[in-house]
Amino acid sequence: MKVWKWKMGAALVFGLALVPAEAATHAFNLADGRAVEAEIVGYNAKNGQVELLLAGGQRKKVDASIFVAGDQQYIKDWAALEGFRNPSSFKVDCKKNKVESWKEEDEWIEKKLERYVFDVYLENRTDVGIENLTAEYRIFYEQEANEQGGKISKADKVEAGKLDIERLRAKEKRTIATGPVVIYGTDFNLTDFYVEGGDPQKARGEIKGIWIKLTTKTAGGETQERNVYDPASIEGKYTWSKSVEPAEPQTKKGRKKG
C-alpha cells in the first residue's frame, strides 16, 4: 500500500499538501489505492463527515464515504469510543434507593432491616450507538455487629453484580437497577436480662457507595473501559473484589436477671 504524505495526488482530495504524519495517525485508504495519514478529531453521523487533523496541524472535513469500507468502520468505531469516554456525551448517574424495610423481633432483640438497590441511569447523547456494552459493579457497605461482651465490631462487605445492557442506541436513555443489598440494625431490650461483660450496644449497617466498570467493544475489536464512582469520594478507598455475603450479627445470649 502506498501512503501519500507530501505528494500532490493526495492533496487533490483534501485541497491541502500533507506533511509527515505523527505516530497517532491512521492511514485512510481511498478506493483508487492511495492512502492519507491523519488523525480523527470529529465525526458527524448525521451528514457522514469526518474531521481529520493532518500532520502539519491543518484540519479538513471530508465525507467518510470516500474511504474504503474498513476505514469507514474505523471512523464509526472511533466516534463510539470517543463518545463512550466523554462523561458529557455518555452520561452515567447513580441513585441509592431504599425499596423495602421490615422488622424481626424476639423477646430480647429487635432487628430492623432495609433493602437497597442503586438505580443506574445511562444516557447516550451521541449520534452513534454504543455496542457490546457491559457493566459490572461492586456495592460497598459496612455492617456493625456485637461481639462477645457487647462490643461493636465493623465488617466491610461488598456485593458484586452485572447489569444487562448490551447496546445503547444513539440518543437512548435507560435506567437499570442493581441487585439488592440488605443492611440491618439491632436494638436490645434487656431489662430482664444480664449479659456477661455488659449489655450489647445498638448496631447499624451503612452503604458506602458503588463502583461501576463499564466496557464497550467495537465491531473492529477495540475495547474501552470506563470507571464510575458514586459518591466520587470512594475512588481509591476500595479494591475490586468478589462478592461477600452479609454476615448475621453475632451476639451473646444472656441469662435472665434474678
Side-chain angles (χ1 to χ4, degrees), residues 176-190:
I176 306 174
T178 67
V181 170
V182 176
I183 62 172
Y184 52 80
T186 50
D187 291 334
F188 297 88
N189 181 13
L190 301 176

Side-chain angles (χ1 to χ4, degrees), residues 14-256:
F14 296 98
L16 293 169
L18 306 188
V19 295
E22 300 290 339
T25 59
H26 175 80
F28 291 92
N29 299 282
L30 287 83
D32 62 6
R34 293 174 297 157
V36 178
E37 296 228 12
E39 178 184 351
I40 302 175
V41 292
Y43 176 64
N44 187 325
K46 291 182 178 180
N47 61 22
Q49 284 198 330
V50 58
E51 184 176 5
L52 299 177
L53 175 65
L54 307 179
Q58 306 98 323
R59 291 175 180 243
K60 189 68 177 179
K61 292 182 180 179
V62 297
D63 290 335
S65 60
I66 69 172
F67 300 118
V68 298
D71 287 334
Q72 292 181 42
Q73 185 61 54
Y74 174 86
I75 292 167
K76 292 178 181 178
D77 288 350
W78 177 92
L81 293 179
E82 186 69 13
F84 174 80
R85 286 189 290 261
N86 190 332
S88 63
S89 298
F90 178 38
K91 186 178 180 181
V92 184
D93 282 333
C94 303
K95 182 181 180 182
K96 184 177 69 175
N97 182 19
K98 183 167 71 172
V99 295
E100 187 180 8
S101 61
W102 70 100
K103 294 181 181 179
E104 296 176 0
E105 301 180 12
D106 61 26
E107 62 177 330
W108 63 283
I109 186 173
E110 179 181 80
K111 187 175 178 181
K112 298 177 180 179
L113 302 98
E114 297 176 330
R115 192 186 313 275
Y116 288 87
V117 300
F118 277 86
D119 291 326
V120 182
Y121 172 77
L122 306 170
E123 181 180 356
N124 179 12
R125 296 177 172 179
T126 73
D127 295 322
V128 180
I130 301 175
E131 307 288 344
N132 303 310
L133 183 60
T134 62
E136 293 185 88
Y137 64 84
R138 301 290 186 266
I139 300 173
F140 301 96
Y141 62 107
E142 179 183 271
Q143 186 60 62
E144 292 185 344
N146 279 268
E147 295 180 332
Q148 185 172 346
K151 295 181 179 180
I152 292 288
S153 65
K154 295 182 179 181
D156 289 327
K157 304 291 182 180
V158 56
E159 185 70 25
K162 185 176 181 179
L163 301 176
D164 182 19
I165 308 173
E166 293 186 1
R167 183 174 190 267
L168 206 62
R169 297 186 302 272
K171 306 300 183 182
E172 182 180 358
K173 302 176 183 178
R174 197 185 307 179
T175 300
I176 306 174
T178 67
V181 170
V182 176
I183 62 172
Y184 52 80
T186 50
D187 291 334
F188 297 88
N189 181 13
L190 301 176
T191 304
D192 297 327
F193 288 84
Y194 168 76
V195 177
E196 184 179 352
D199 288 350
Q201 304 173 48
K202 292 182 179 181
R204 291 287 182 272
E206 180 184 5
I207 292 181
K208 298 297 186 179
I210 186 171
W211 176 2
I212 303 175
K213 280 189 177 183
L214 292 146
T215 305
T216 183
K217 186 176 182 180
T218 67
E222 291 190 64
T223 300
Q224 182 72 47
E225 182 180 279
R226 180 173 157 192
N227 291 277
V228 176
Y229 305 89
D230 187 77
S233 58
I234 71 168
E235 182 177 0
K237 292 184 178 180
Y238 298 96
T239 58
W240 190 262
S241 56
K242 294 181 179 179
S243 173
V244 178
E245 294 296 328
E248 292 296 318
Q250 299 298 313
T251 58
K252 181 178 176 62
K253 289 185 178 180
R255 55 184 176 83
K256 200 167 186 177

